[in-house]
């Protein structure tokens, strides 16, 4: 299967992935960690056209993968995906409201802010802290865990079949 997720359509992309892999809604859950203090800039159509003119290869790739994405929506079912996206947004919002104190914002890099963890997020549900962790930090934690002796002892061993396959 050829499937590419579209960042501008992240919720739909995650719901499609969930359907393809047989996951649950909680498997694709994410939290908005960074909340911009600024409204999104609207780019004029004439400016978009100029950008696309000078970025013709990027434009062609963009169109190709958007067409492919639309086909995946048809395969799974547009109504089904739309309903699941609606339910997913409700779940994500409910989880955000429990995890974060949205009245208390913390300034971070690039003029953005993030919400402070609520008492529930700090003390009751460790998933809140996990989902709030920056990607770079989380990658480092996972790497350190993989390098521990406990992990190495329990690491799956290559079997002869696998060795032959990659020789």
């Amino acid at each position: 299967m050829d499937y590419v997720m579209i960042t501008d359509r992240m919720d739909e992309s995650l719901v499609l992935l969930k359907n393809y892999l047989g996951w649950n809604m909680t498997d694709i859950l994410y939290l908005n960690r960074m909340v911009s203090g600024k409204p999104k800039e609207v780019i004029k159509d004439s400016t978009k056209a100029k950008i696309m003119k000078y970025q013709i290869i990027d434009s062609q790739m963009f169109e190709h993968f958007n067409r492919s994405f639309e086909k995946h929506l048809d395969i799974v079912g547009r109504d089904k995906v739309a309903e699941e996206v609606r339910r997913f947004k409700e779940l994500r919002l409910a989880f955000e409201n429990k995890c974060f104190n949205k009245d208390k914002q913390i300034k971070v890099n690039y003029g953005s802010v993030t919400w402070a963890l609520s008492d529930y997020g700090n003390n009751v549900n460790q998933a809140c802290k996990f989902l709030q962790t920056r990607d770079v930090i989380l990658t480092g934690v996972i790497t350190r865990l993989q390098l521990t002796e406990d992990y190495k002892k329990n690491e799956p061993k290559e079997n002869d079949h696998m060795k032959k396959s990659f020789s």
Side-chain angles (χ1 to χ4, degrees):
M1 167 185 46
D2 294 332
Y3 176 65
V4 175
M5 296 173 63
I6 307 292
T7 55
D8 290 346
R9 299 172 78 176
M10 185 55 68
D11 289 349
E12 287 173 288
S13 293
L14 288 168
V15 165
L16 284 170
L17 184 66
K18 175 194 82 65
N19 278 279
Y20 283 137
L21 297 178
W23 290 349
N24 296 313
M25 287 288 191
T26 54
D27 295 326
I28 61 171
L29 186 65
Y30 69 92
L31 299 178
N32 289 325
R33 291 186 310 236
M34 307 300 275
V35 182
S36 175
K38 303 175 189 172
K40 259 187 173 179
E41 282 188 44
V42 177
I43 300 174
K44 292 187 233 171
D45 288 339
S46 59
T47 304
K48 285 181 188 177
K50 286 178 185 175
I51 291 169
M52 294 312 236
K53 177 182 173 186
Y54 293 108
Q55 301 294 326
I56 190 71
I57 293 172
D58 290 339
S59 175
Q60 289 171 347
M61 286 176 52
F62 179 82
E63 291 302 320
H64 168 78
F65 287 111
N66 271 295
R67 281 192 306 274
S68 172
F69 187 81
E70 293 294 327
K71 288 178 186 174
H72 285 281
L73 286 175
D74 290 333
I75 291 168
V76 174
R78 289 177 184 273
D79 291 340
K80 178 181 178 177
V81 171
E83 175 58 23
E84 288 187 17
V85 165
R86 186 193 62 73
R87 288 190 355 251
F88 176 64
K89 286 180 177 183
E90 286 175 0
L91 173 69
R92 199 180 76 229
L93 182 62
F95 203 69
E96 279 179 9
N97 288 336
K98 280 199 91 142
C99 285
F100 296 112
N101 176 355
K102 291 185 175 181
D103 293 329
K104 186 175 180 185
Q105 296 181 341
I106 302 166
K107 291 187 180 193
V108 291
N109 298 337
Y110 309 110
S112 294
V113 294
T114 187
W115 297 308
L117 284 169
S118 65
D119 288 337
Y120 174 84
N122 262 322
N123 303 314
V124 178
N125 192 331
Q126 293 300 307
C128 296
K129 285 183 184 177
F130 181 77
L131 289 170
Q132 189 188 37
T133 304
R134 303 282 307 161
D135 298 344
V136 173
I137 295 169
L138 191 55
T139 301
V141 169
I142 292 169
T143 301
R144 282 191 299 282
L145 285 172
Q146 290 175 335
L147 296 175
T148 64
E149 289 302 315
D150 287 338
Y151 179 83
K152 288 179 183 176
K153 288 177 191 171
N154 297 315
E155 186 176 26
K157 304 290 184 226
E158 277 186 331
N159 60 34
D160 291 335
H161 173 71
M162 292 298 284
K163 287 180 185 175
K164 289 176 189 173
S165 296
F166 296 103
S167 301

